């Protein structure tokens, strides 16, 4: 019942810009160990009935570079980098000599070969090093690392090579679902898809099919993209796309009932069930609703504000699982995550959040900590 996408960031499968991941369900475990990685902190937990893993290596996959066919030094390749890799690129280890699982385009900005607008770079693979030293250059901070099996370096050229042209005529073969266009095999898929009218400039999914080469290719101007004329070429491709974009699969919430649409003022006493999933709105941090307790809260406390206090949610809202439990003889207030909760004496009903990492216990909160262990275990 963990968030797939947030777990993918924690596992270094994705960055915060999103993307595709492959999820495989697996049997439940006797225990789960939390950790902090890539800005995401996961929680410890005991036995649970089901798990999932990502079908990827423990290190993030290195994106396949766009290869531009042109003359180049032996053992090297040309990579076409997109823009905004300062923010969107993955991690980088080293300075001038980088580990071969580093982001090529972000490393190129770090080394001063490229700016953040993208462009062509020449990459040469080199042997692994005993150690790599991180540094901060050009707005990019790289990491230190120990021994690693492979590296790469950049070769700067005085003038970027001219890639072979991309051509899109208007021919539409039978059996296509949408407009299909012939393009030389070394053309940019994504730019050709914009030219063909299959995609806009905000990206998306297209299906590419390789086809035989043609004796000539005719250039044209469409949708802000100019393609070029070209003579005979050995290979082509066509693009397939349906007339409407695919509908994304809905996010599945592991419960038989839909979540309750909460407000910043919703409390546990407003809920009918003993365990309920609540959809919290954003901006509950600055509301005037009160919270009493720490980890165990009185049932008239604001659920969504308590979730921010407990570290379950940030101020942009989200889903939380609330479990009603018996009242306590006392509740201890505290200041956490921008919210100060209040002390209180005996109260009739309480609630806690599922998947909450057990707090560090002190003498004054032993009874509450034992109750959390009992409920979560």
């Amino acid at each position: 019942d963990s968030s797939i996408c947030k777990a993918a960031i924690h596992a270094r499968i994705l960055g915060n810009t999103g993307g595709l991941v492959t999820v495989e369900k697996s049997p439940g475990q006797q225990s789960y160990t939390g950790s902090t990685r890539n800005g995401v902190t996961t929680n410890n937990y005991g036995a649970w009935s089901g798990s999932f893993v990502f079908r990827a290596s423990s290190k993030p996959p290195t994106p396949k570079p766009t290869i531009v066919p042109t003359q180049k030094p032996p053992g090297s390749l040309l990579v076409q980098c997109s823009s905004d890799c300062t923010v969107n690129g993955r991690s980088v280890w080293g300075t001038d000599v980088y580990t071969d699982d580093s982001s090529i385009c972000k490393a190129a900005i770090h080394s001063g070969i490229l700016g953040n607008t993208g462009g062509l770079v020449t990459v040469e693979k080199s042997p692994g090093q005993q150690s790599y030293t991180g540094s901060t250059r050009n707005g990019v901070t790289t990491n230190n690392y120990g021994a690693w099996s492979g590296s790469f370096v950049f070769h700067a050229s005085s003038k970027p090579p001219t890639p072979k042209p991309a051509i899109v005529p208007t021919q539409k073969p039978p059996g296509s679902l949408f407009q299909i266009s012939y393009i030389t095999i070394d053309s940019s898929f994504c730019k050709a898809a914009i030219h063909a009218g299959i995609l806009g400039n905000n990206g998306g999914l297209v299906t590419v099919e390789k086809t035989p080469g043609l004796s000539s290719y005719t250039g044209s101007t469409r949708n802000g993209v100019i393609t070029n004329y070209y003579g005979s070429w050995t290979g082509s491709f066509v693009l397939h796309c349906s007339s409407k974009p695919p509908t994304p699969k809905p996010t599945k919430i592991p419960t038989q009932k839909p979540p309750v649409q909460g407000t910043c003022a919703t409390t546990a006493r407003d809920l009918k069930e003993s365990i309920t999933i609540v959809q919290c709105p954003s901006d509950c941090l600055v509301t005037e609703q009160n919270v009493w307790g720490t980890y165990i809260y009185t049932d008239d406390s604001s659920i969504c504000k308590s979730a921010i206090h407990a570290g379950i949610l940030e101020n942009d809202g989200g889903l939380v699982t609330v479990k009603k439990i018996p009242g306590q003889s006392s509740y201890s207030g505290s200041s956490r995550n921008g919210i100060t909760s209040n002390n209180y004496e005996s109260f009739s009903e309480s609630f806690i959040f599922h998947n909450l990492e057990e707090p560090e216990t002190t003498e004054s909160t032993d009874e509450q900590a034992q109750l959390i262990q009992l409920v979560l275990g």
Side-chain angles (χ1 to χ4, degrees):
D1 61 342
S2 297
S3 162
I4 289 174
C5 299
K6 199 166 184 179
I9 297 172
H10 178 267
R12 286 185 59 205
I13 302 295
L14 291 183
N16 201 33
T17 54
L20 291 171
V21 294
T22 303
V23 178
E24 179 180 347
K25 291 185 178 182
S26 61
Q29 307 293 307
Q30 290 301 307
S31 64
Y32 299 80
T33 303
S35 62
T36 298
R37 291 180 182 171
N38 309 307
V40 176
T41 299
T42 62
N43 303 300
N44 297 321
Y45 204 72
W48 189 249
S49 58
S51 309
F52 68 89
V53 295
F54 295 105
R55 295 192 67 182
S57 64
S58 58
K59 298 178 87 49
T62 303
K64 292 185 180 178
T66 302
I67 310 298
V68 180
T70 185
Q71 290 184 345
K72 54 189 180 293
S76 65
L77 55 86
L78 284 168
V79 177
Q80 174 68 56
C81 289
S82 59
S83 61
D84 297 324
C85 287
T86 298
V87 176
N88 297 330
R90 295 182 180 174
S91 297
V92 178
W93 293 267
T95 297
D96 297 323
V97 179
Y98 303 94
T99 63
D100 67 357
D101 61 339
S102 297
S103 163
I104 291 174
C105 299
K106 197 168 184 178
I109 298 171
H110 176 267
S111 67
I113 300 291
L114 290 183
N116 199 34
T117 54
L120 286 169
V121 292
T122 303
V123 178
E124 181 180 345
K125 293 185 177 182
S126 61
Q129 308 293 306
Q130 289 302 306
S131 64
Y132 298 81
T133 303
S135 62
T136 299
R137 291 178 180 174
N138 307 310
V140 175
T141 299
T142 63
N143 304 296
N144 297 322
Y145 204 75
W148 188 249
S149 57
S151 310
F152 68 87
V153 295
F154 293 107
H155 288 280
S157 61
S158 58
K159 180 181 178 183
T162 303
K164 293 218 192 310
I167 293 70
V168 181
T170 57
Q171 186 176 357
K172 184 177 180 181
S176 63
L177 298 175
F178 199 76
Q179 180 173 355
I180 302 181
S181 304
Y182 287 98
I183 322 224
T184 59
I185 197 67
D186 61 337
S187 300
S188 161
F189 293 149
C190 300
K191 200 167 183 179
I194 297 171
H195 178 269
I198 292 176
L199 293 183
N201 200 34
N202 55 352
L205 290 171
V206 293
T207 302
V208 179
E209 179 185 352
K210 289 185 178 182
T211 60
L214 300 175
S215 58
S216 65
Y217 298 81
T218 303
S220 63
T221 300
R222 291 180 182 171
N223 306 311
V225 176
I226 300 173
T227 62
N228 305 296
Y229 290 87
Y230 203 71
S232 178
W233 189 249
T234 56
S236 309
F237 67 86
V238 295
L239 303 172
H240 296 267
C241 186
S242 64
S243 58
K244 65 178 184 177
T247 303
K249 292 184 180 178
T251 302
K252 293 183 180 179
I253 300 170
T255 181
Q256 293 182 347
K257 296 186 178 181
V260 171
Q261 296 298 315
T263 69
C264 297
T266 299
T267 67
R269 62 176 53 176
D270 298 325
L271 306 177
K272 296 180 181 179
E273 306 293 335
S274 60
I275 298 178
T276 307
I277 293 179
V278 177
Q279 175 70 58
C280 287
S282 60
D283 298 324
C284 289
L285 181 66
V286 295
T287 59
E288 296 181 357
Q289 278 72 32
N290 290 317
V291 175
W292 291 270
T294 299
Y295 293 111
I296 300 178
Y297 302 93
T298 63
D299 75 344
D300 60 344
S301 297
S302 162
I303 289 174
C304 299
K305 199 166 183 179
S306 298
I308 299 173
H309 178 267
I312 301 293
L313 292 183
E314 297 181 354
N315 198 34
D316 53 358
L319 290 170
V320 293
T321 303
V322 176
K323 182 181 179 79
K324 294 183 179 183
I325 62 172
Q328 307 294 300
S329 58
S330 64
Y331 299 80
S332 298
S334 61
S335 292
R336 295 184 177 179
N337 306 310
I339 293 177
T340 299
S341 63
N342 304 296
N343 297 320
Y344 204 75
E345 297 180 356
S346 178
F347 201 73
S348 58
E349 299 291 338
S350 311
F351 73 89
I352 60 172
F353 296 106
H354 268 285
N355 300 333
L356 178 63
E357 186 174 357
E358 181 183 338
E360 295 180 5
T361 58
T362 63
E363 257 186 54
S364 63
T365 58
D366 275 346
E367 184 180 346
Q368 297 181 16
Q370 288 169 4
L371 181 56
I372 290 176
Q373 287 179 324
L374 178 63
V375 173
L376 297 184

